[in-house]
Amino acid sequence: LEPYPSVVRRLVFRHCCDFLRVGGKVIIVIAVGGGLCTASECGLDLVFPSAASGGAGLSPDEIEDDLVLAGFDIDSTELLETKTTDLSAAMPGEAPKEERRSYAVVAARRPD
């Protein structure tokens, strides 16, 4: 959803809301900092949109606003920090480098 304007994100969120049962949840994960988190950077073969600062990219506030305007109630917004070790990047005999990653997780619910 990152490269699209908020109008398109709201359309996608409204479409999701239409298919959820009452009380159903949507969880949005945003990589905080840097650009788009590629599969190799995230370590889980997942790609998350980034929450880049300075107006570029998504922010958790923008996602919350889009979800509310699409008809969702926000349950929670959390900032998670993880540590990851990329064993494939380490040369034989070298200790793998540990990296920290931060993610914003926004959970929203379809209202009753």
Side-chain angles (χ1 to χ4, degrees), residues 73-102:
D73 289 339
I74 303 299
D75 279 344
S76 66
T77 301
E78 300 177 36
L79 183 61
L80 303 176
E81 189 169 303
T82 64
K83 293 180 187 175
T84 183
T85 305
D86 186 2
L87 299 174
S88 65
M91 297 299 289
E94 290 182 355
K97 187 172 116 180
E98 191 174 86
E99 297 179 12
R100 290 181 182 262
R101 306 258 183 224
S102 296

Side-chain angles (χ1 to χ4, degrees), residues 1-2 27-44 46-53 56-63 78-82 100-106:
L1 296 173
E2 181 180 25
I27 299 173
I28 308 295
V29 179
I30 307 164
V32 178
L36 187 65
C37 187
T38 63
S40 62
E41 290 172 333
C42 290
L44 298 173
L46 299 172
V47 178
F48 300 120
S50 64
S53 60
L58 294 174
S59 73
D61 290 338
E62 288 176 285
I63 293 295
E78 300 177 36
L79 183 61
L80 303 176
E81 189 169 303
T82 64
R100 290 181 182 262
R101 306 258 183 224
S102 296
Y103 302 96
V105 179
V106 180

Side-chain angles (χ1 to χ4, degrees), residues 61-74:
D61 290 338
E62 288 176 285
I63 293 295
E64 287 178 348
D65 291 344
D66 290 341
L67 285 166
V68 168
L69 291 171
F72 285 97
D73 289 339
I74 303 299

Side-chain angles (χ1 to χ4, degrees), residues 13 16-17 20 24-28 67 72 106-110:
F13 291 152
C16 291
C17 193
L20 283 176
K25 286 193 174 190
V26 169
I27 299 173
I28 308 295
L67 285 166
F72 285 97
V106 180
R109 177 182 45 79
R110 181 177 172 187

